[in-house]
């Protein structure tokens, strides 16, 4: 038996960057105190969700992966607590900027990074203004607690991302996110849809899943605002929610899984045995036709 306690967290963010980091650290400490060894913080927790506006000044928030102060701080914390800790950050790499996540192992070692592959663009969520499409490809990481796969927010709507990580051997899927109300239509509420899509990833791949979102209302600079859904959750390998946060409060969720038993369940169910990759050529194109030239 390989029992692993995992944790999802959620919190508010404002323009007190040190305060945001302090709150995030407090949540990690709480989760570790409750036995969690794999702890997920939300997407871009260092600041408010600045993609609500298109302002060149916000590009100055990006920082390189090497020598990154945020990653260094949470690397020290991971080492102190003996926990695995993905750390979301706004990355500058040469002339490009990415929505990235650093994977910090339980000894504080930074194993590398993943850059968000799917970049959304819509009212209030204008990420294409800030982020280049990620160029790392989907990745998994051998950590002290097992092999994990991490996607970022909009990645969670694409089953190909989850399946790729599962095929690469991910034993747990993690999605830090920032999702809330739609500034252009207050009647839209995608929170349940958001959960169900990821529950499907867990069930289809027989892999536990952790999703961490932010809470609170964040005003934009042009008179708009987004109220984030919270509703962070943990799903078991059948897709059932085993822990769920509310829509407003900050906090920590935990759940414990037997990774060996789940591995046996995954092998026994046959969904990987019965795959037919030779039939999936339409997935390699945007229009459903087998591609005749490389996609750009």
């Amino acid at each position: 038996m390989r029992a692993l306690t995992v944790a999802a967290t959620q919190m508010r963010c404002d323009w007190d960057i040190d305060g945001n980091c302090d709150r995030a650290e407090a949540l990690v400490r709480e989760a570790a105190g409750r036995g969690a060894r794999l702890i997920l913080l939300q997407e871009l927790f260092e600041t408010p969700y600045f993609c609500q506006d298109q302002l060149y000044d916000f590009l100055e928030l990006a920082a390189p992966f090497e020598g990154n102060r945020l990653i260094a701080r949470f690397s020290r914390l991971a080492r102190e607590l003996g926990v695995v800790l993905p750390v979301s950050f706004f990355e500058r790499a040469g002339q490009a900027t990415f929505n990235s996540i650093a994977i910090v192992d339980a000894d504080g070692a930074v194993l590398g990074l993943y850059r968000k592959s799917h970049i959304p663009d819509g009212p209030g969520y204008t990420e294409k203004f800030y982020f280049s499409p990620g160029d790392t490809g989907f990745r998994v990481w051998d950590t002290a607690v097992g092999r994990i796969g991490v996607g970022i927010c909009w990645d969670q709507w694409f089953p190909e991302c989850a399946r790729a990580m599962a095929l690469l051997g991910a034993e747990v899927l993690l999605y830090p996110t920032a999702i809330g109300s739609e500034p252009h239509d207050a009647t839209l509420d995608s929170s349940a849809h958001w959960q169900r899509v990821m529950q499907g990833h867990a069930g289809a791949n027989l892999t536990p899943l952790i999703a961490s979102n932010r809470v609170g209302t964040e005003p934009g600079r042009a008179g708009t605002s987004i109220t984030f859904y919270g509703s962070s959750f943990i799903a078991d390998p059948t897709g059932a929610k085993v822990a769920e946060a509310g829509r407003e409060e900050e906090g920590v969720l935990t759940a414990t899984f037997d990774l060996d038993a789940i591995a046996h369940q995954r092998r026994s169910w046959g969904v990987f045995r019965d795959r037919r990759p030779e039939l999936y050529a339409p997935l390699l194109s945007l229009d459903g036709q087998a591609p005749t030239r490389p996609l750009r």
Side-chain angles (χ1 to χ4, degrees):
M1 177 175 179
R2 238 179 346 129
L4 172 63
T5 299
V6 303
T9 67
Q10 63 180 36
M11 65 179 232
R12 301 173 185 273
C13 295
D14 55 34
W15 283 108
D16 178 0
I17 290 175
D18 288 339
N20 294 333
C21 293
D22 289 345
R23 282 195 297 280
E25 178 175 333
L27 291 174
V28 172
R29 290 186 180 279
E30 179 182 345
R34 291 166 56 178
R37 296 200 63 213
L38 173 60
I39 302 169
L40 184 63
L41 293 165
Q42 65 210 38
E43 180 187 22
L44 299 173
F45 63 86
E46 193 177 16
T47 66
Y49 181 73
F50 51 83
C51 305
Q52 198 173 158
D53 300 293
Q54 295 186 358
L55 296 174
Y56 291 107
D57 288 351
F58 288 153
L59 291 169
E60 299 303 316
L61 296 169
F65 174 56
E66 298 294 338
N68 189 289
R69 292 178 59 188
L70 179 71
I71 297 170
R73 172 176 178 169
F74 283 87
S75 174
R76 292 191 296 270
L77 181 65
R79 182 173 62 249
E80 175 192 340
L81 300 175
V83 300
V84 176
L85 193 59
V87 179
S88 175
F89 71 106
F90 185 13
E91 181 193 7
R92 175 169 296 285
Q95 299 304 313
T97 52
F98 297 97
N99 187 335
S100 300
I101 194 154
I103 311 301
V104 182
D105 209 352
D107 62 356
V110 180
L111 302 180
L113 85 165
Y114 166 70
R115 292 169 172 163
K116 185 174 181 176
S117 300
H118 304 94
I119 309 298
D121 187 69
Y125 300 88
T126 60
E127 295 197 15
K128 282 185 166 66
F129 183 82
Y130 294 100
F131 309 129
S132 296
D135 57 1
T136 58
F138 306 122
R139 305 188 67 182
V140 296
W141 312 91
D142 287 314
T143 74
V145 301
R147 179 171 285 192
I148 66 171
V150 186
I152 302 173
C153 200
W154 194 231
D155 288 333
Q156 68 212 357
W157 296 91
F158 297 86
E160 298 86 352
C161 174
R163 177 52 56 90
M165 293 189 291
L167 286 170
L168 290 167
E171 297 178 285
V172 183
L173 300 173
L174 300 97
Y175 290 96
T177 191
I179 186 171
S181 60
E182 303 289 344
H184 68 291
D185 187 348
T187 68
L188 291 177
D189 187 331
S190 59
S191 58
H193 184 190
W194 169 76
Q195 288 189 339
R196 285 193 297 268
V197 168
M198 285 185 283
Q199 289 175 257
H201 299 334
N205 294 291
L206 286 96
T207 305
L209 185 147
I210 312 169
S212 290
N213 192 22
R214 62 178 66 204
V215 294
T217 298
E218 297 183 10
R221 298 290 178 88
T224 61
S225 67
I226 295 176
T227 299
F228 292 93
Y229 294 141
S231 304
S232 302
F233 70 98
I234 301 170
D236 74 9
T238 72
K241 289 184 287 185
V242 295
E244 181 178 4
R247 292 178 67 116
E248 298 180 359
E249 73 272 11
E250 299 180 317
V252 172
L253 307 170
T254 62
T256 300
F257 298 106
D258 179 350
L259 297 185
D260 284 340
I262 292 171
H264 178 75
Q265 179 185 16
R266 188 184 304 116
R267 288 191 295 269
S268 301
W269 203 248
V271 293
F272 291 95
R273 178 197 63 206
D274 297 337
R275 293 182 68 252
R276 295 290 306 280
E278 72 276 13
L279 303 181
Y280 303 157
L283 297 179
L284 301 177
S285 67
L286 293 176
D287 63 0
Q289 303 300 312
T292 58
R293 60 185 183 276
L295 294 177
R296 294 182 178 179

